[in-house]
Amino acid sequence: MLKRLFNKKSKVCPLDTACVPEGRRVYAIGDIHGRNDLLQQLIEKIIDDDAKRGDVNSEIIFLGDLVDRGPDSAGVIETAMQLKRELGDVRFLMGNHEEVYLKAATGDEKATRFFNRIGGKETILSYEISIREYMDLDNAALAQRLPGLIPEHHIDFIKAFENQIVIGDYAFVHAGIRPGVSLDEQKIKDLRWIREEFLSVKEPHEKVIVYGHTINDDVVEKGNRIGIDTGAYYSEKLTALALEGNQRWYLDTAASQ
């Protein structure tokens, strides 16, 4: 019995060996949901952390859901655009909330109704519209108002967001992936919306999946995935995962409160 036990091949947890290419440092930021105040705090922490470490090519990845629920989605977009201009190596993933935001911004009534249901009211009010005007508009009138309310440069910026980013042994997505399907063949709907079908799988994926979308009180580390959506819009905790070589660590805004 003992002999048979020791002859078994031990399972290697993908997280134990996962790494990013030499000379790169990656910071991945979880779902912001309109909390521009927390984003600015976390960016300061990332810049300070990066400065204390060796000189390498550093980059920041936003995992999507910059908008909705929190009070200042317009401000988050402006901050994100500024970071892209000033730092350069900043990339953005399209979340399900950005998907709905873009549809609502076209004046689509159905999309506007759904947008309001999932936190779009706060996004709309972060632009140049009063709460009184907002309350006076029915859904059809609000849908007509949105194309003139949301700036074109915000729409163009978000339209350019990516669906997945692969770096070394990690794949960065918004929601997750469809298990058993190669990364090259993933459907956009799954990358932005999937939940239980992804979370319930324990077997290794093609890469270690870094994702947001699903809220937890703290970072979730499983053998095949890392979840960093810590519910910033209500918890005051916006989280970033940092990766270099085979090392990983976390930064968040909890200590700033």
Side-chain angles (χ1 to χ4, degrees):
M1 181 177 178
L2 289 173
K3 183 177 181 180
R4 188 164 63 247
L5 175 65
F6 283 116
N7 281 339
K8 287 182 178 180
K9 290 184 178 180
S10 60
K11 292 183 178 180
V12 177
C13 169
L15 268 182
D16 292 341
T17 58
C19 63
V20 297
E22 185 177 353
R24 297 177 74 173
R25 183 178 302 132
V26 180
Y27 296 92
I29 298 176
D31 302 32
I32 301 162
H33 278 306
R35 291 301 302 268
N36 192 37
D37 55 339
L38 298 182
L39 174 58
Q40 292 184 3
Q41 291 173 27
L42 186 59
I43 290 298
E44 286 298 320
K45 289 194 172 191
I46 288 173
I47 291 173
D48 288 345
D49 182 80
D50 187 55
K52 295 173 184 175
R53 300 176 185 274
D55 187 14
V56 297
N57 292 326
S58 300
E59 52 204 299
I60 299 174
I61 297 173
F62 286 71
L63 296 186
D65 282 7
L66 281 67
V67 301
D68 296 351
R69 296 177 176 165
D72 194 10
S73 291
V76 169
I77 296 171
E78 287 292 329
T79 297
M81 293 175 70
Q82 181 183 0
L83 287 169
K84 180 65 177 176
R85 288 193 303 269
E86 295 182 357
L87 300 182
D89 290 330
V90 184
R91 301 170 73 178
F92 303 87
L93 291 168
M94 180 83 72
N96 58 310
H97 284 259
E98 279 82 31
E99 178 183 299
V100 179
Y101 170 100
L102 290 176
K103 290 179 180 177
T106 67
D108 183 278
E109 286 188 41
K110 184 178 179 181
T112 299
R113 184 177 294 108
F114 185 49
F115 187 44
N116 270 297
R117 281 173 46 199
I118 63 172
K121 173 184 176 181
E122 289 79 9
T123 299
I124 294 167
L125 290 172
S126 71
Y127 290 105
E128 295 298 321
I129 183 172
S130 68
I131 183 66
R132 180 172 181 175
E133 181 185 355
Y134 174 86
M135 296 299 293
D136 285 344
L137 297 174
D138 62 17
N139 189 70
L142 180 62
Q144 292 179 354
R145 179 79 168 86
L146 291 185
L149 180 66
I150 298 176
E152 193 67 31
H153 66 282
H154 282 195
I155 295 171
D156 291 341
F157 175 66
I158 291 177
K159 279 183 177 179
F161 285 11
E162 302 174 72
N163 290 311
Q164 63 171 300
I165 297 168
V166 175
I167 300 176
D169 296 323
Y170 294 91
F172 302 82
V173 299
H174 173 64
I177 64 168
R178 176 69 57 180
V181 178
S182 70
L183 291 175
D184 290 339
E185 298 177 348
Q186 292 290 322
K187 294 181 178 179
I188 289 176
K189 181 179 179 180
D190 288 330
L191 295 173
R192 297 178 187 172
W193 293 89
I194 200 168
R195 203 181 302 273
E196 290 307 320
E197 300 96 325
F198 164 66
L199 299 176
S200 62
V201 171
K202 297 180 181 179
E203 290 75 25
H205 300 298
E206 189 176 335
K207 302 284 185 179
V208 173
I209 307 300
V210 180
Y211 64 100
H213 188 60
T214 298
I215 296 174
N216 290 279
D217 292 336
D218 204 349
V219 170
V220 173
E221 283 195 358
K222 301 294 184 180
N224 57 4
R225 58 184 170 89
I226 302 175
I228 60 170
D229 181 358
T230 48
Y233 73 95
Y234 71 88
S235 71
E236 308 292 328
K237 183 178 181 181
L238 179 61
T239 299
L241 161 68
L243 300 167
E244 184 175 356
N246 62 359
Q247 297 181 322
R248 65 183 181 277
W249 63 99
Y250 299 94
L251 304 170
D252 63 57
T253 58
S256 300
Q257 305 306 313

